[in-house]
Amino acid sequence: MSCALMSVTTLGSAFTLSLFLCENFGHAEEWCVSGADIPNAGVLERPFTVAPATNGNQIIVSVRVQIVATHPWVGDLSARLIHPSGVTILLLDRPGIPSQGYPGPWGCGGDGLDLWLSDDGTLAAESSCPFGQNPVLAGTLRPSSPLSALVGLAPQGNWKLIIQDAVIGDSGILTRACVEIMTASDCNQNGISDSIDIASGTSLDINSNGVPDECGCIADIEPNGNIDGADLSRMLSRWGRCDACSEDLTGDGNVAADDLAVLIAQWGVCSQQ
């Protein structure tokens, strides 16, 4: 999968929203926050709000989280991402406990984080603690619980990113944290992206416009919100060979029985979504 950065908008001094277009999925929004202290044995909470989509019903298809921070003992840290519905993803849970890379029961004793937490990570952040590396957690690593639990949920609402220092003695600085939320259209609101519905055969896309047919009114040839006698009359008047005409619902260059079957299947009131 590839994504292209389309625009960047700064929202005040605390947040940055980056917009991407991604092949076969839709687009991604990257919400970032920077410049906050991680208090000694305390909690840092960073909320952000995702506005409702303006291009129809959208669902989450993937999420990944970037954390860049300094802390002299990252085994003290845990991190959570909370969806507006309350679904909580445990991103980090005191890495290195039980001991990984450093002796003793206190977790990963390395300094610093510069990583993306993603389900695509080869190694788990919990068990990655290479001795002598700085930052000790770097690259793309798997979170403690899968971010896929967010797939199919609506993205809009108030999110929270929470970082906690569980042990007295050290504090840190969050340099940057980003939550990349990739969304796709779900016009029939079944919790599955339209592209997957079409590819799996769950939904038809006779006119190959990328929109499930149940979400459109392709048989409303006389566009009045109803599939009725007027549409049938138009279709019968163009029966036979017909290149690039609206009566050819299946797009095969002929107005024939297959087009009539589509029209009959959509007969009645038709609401364009």
Side-chain angles (χ1 to χ4, degrees):
M1 181 194 67
S2 62
C3 297
L5 178 63
M6 300 301 294
S7 65
V8 177
T9 304
T10 299
L11 306 179
S13 59
F15 301 102
T16 299
L17 170 63
S18 301
L19 302 181
F20 300 80
L21 293 182
C22 302
E23 293 179 13
N24 302 324
F25 284 95
H27 73 279
E29 296 183 357
E30 187 180 273
W31 293 89
C32 297
V33 57
S34 61
D37 292 334
I38 303 172
N40 183 9
V43 176
L44 171 63
E45 182 177 305
R46 302 300 277 171
F48 63 95
T49 300
V50 176
T54 59
N55 56 341
N57 192 65
Q58 298 285 310
I59 59 168
I60 296 170
V61 294
S62 72
V63 177
R64 61 182 192 146
V65 180
Q66 183 188 36
I67 299 176
V68 181
T70 59
H71 192 285
W73 199 280
V74 299
D76 293 351
L77 300 179
S78 62
R80 290 172 286 151
L81 178 65
I82 304 177
H83 180 269
S85 68
V87 173
T88 299
I89 306 299
L90 185 60
L91 301 171
L92 294 172
D93 186 18
R94 301 198 62 193
I97 295 179
S99 184
Q100 297 283 342
Y102 280 75
W106 306 284
C108 184
D111 185 1
L113 305 92
D114 187 353
L115 76 162
W116 280 95
L117 292 157
S118 169
D119 290 349
D120 293 332
T122 302
L123 299 176
E126 288 299 299
S127 58
S128 178
C129 185
F131 188 85
Q133 177 176 296
N134 191 352
V136 69
L137 296 185
T140 299
L141 300 173
R142 292 197 314 275
S144 296
S145 60
L147 288 155
S148 60
L150 300 171
V151 172
L153 300 180
Q156 64 266 20
N158 298 318
W159 294 68
K160 291 180 182 178
L161 178 64
I162 296 175
I163 299 176
Q164 182 174 4
D165 183 332
V167 180
I168 295 174
D170 298 316
S171 62
I173 298 174
L174 177 67
T175 304
R176 174 181 172 89
C178 295
V179 179
E180 181 188 273
I181 305 170
M182 191 174 295
T183 61
S185 177
D186 176 28
C187 72
N188 56 16
Q189 301 185 36
N190 67 348
I192 301 172
S193 68
D194 295 341
S195 60
I196 293 178
D197 275 340
I198 293 169
S200 66
T202 301
S203 296
L204 296 177
D205 182 20
I206 293 173
N207 60 355
S208 300
N209 67 348
V211 179
D213 290 343
E214 66 266 27
C215 299
C217 299
I218 62 171
D220 190 13
I221 304 167
E222 291 283 348
N224 61 3
N226 290 279
I227 313 300
D228 53 22
D231 304 297
L232 177 60
S233 178
R234 276 275 301 272
M235 178 172 287
L236 295 177
S237 72
R238 300 298 298 270
W239 201 263
R241 186 68 186 173
C242 182
D243 293 322
C245 64
S246 59
E247 294 80 8
D248 179 17
L249 303 183
T250 59
D252 61 359
N254 287 283
V255 178
D258 54 350
D259 303 296
L260 180 60
V262 173
L263 186 146
I264 292 172
Q266 292 193 353
W267 194 268
V269 176
C270 183
S271 300
Q272 183 75 43
Q273 295 188 41

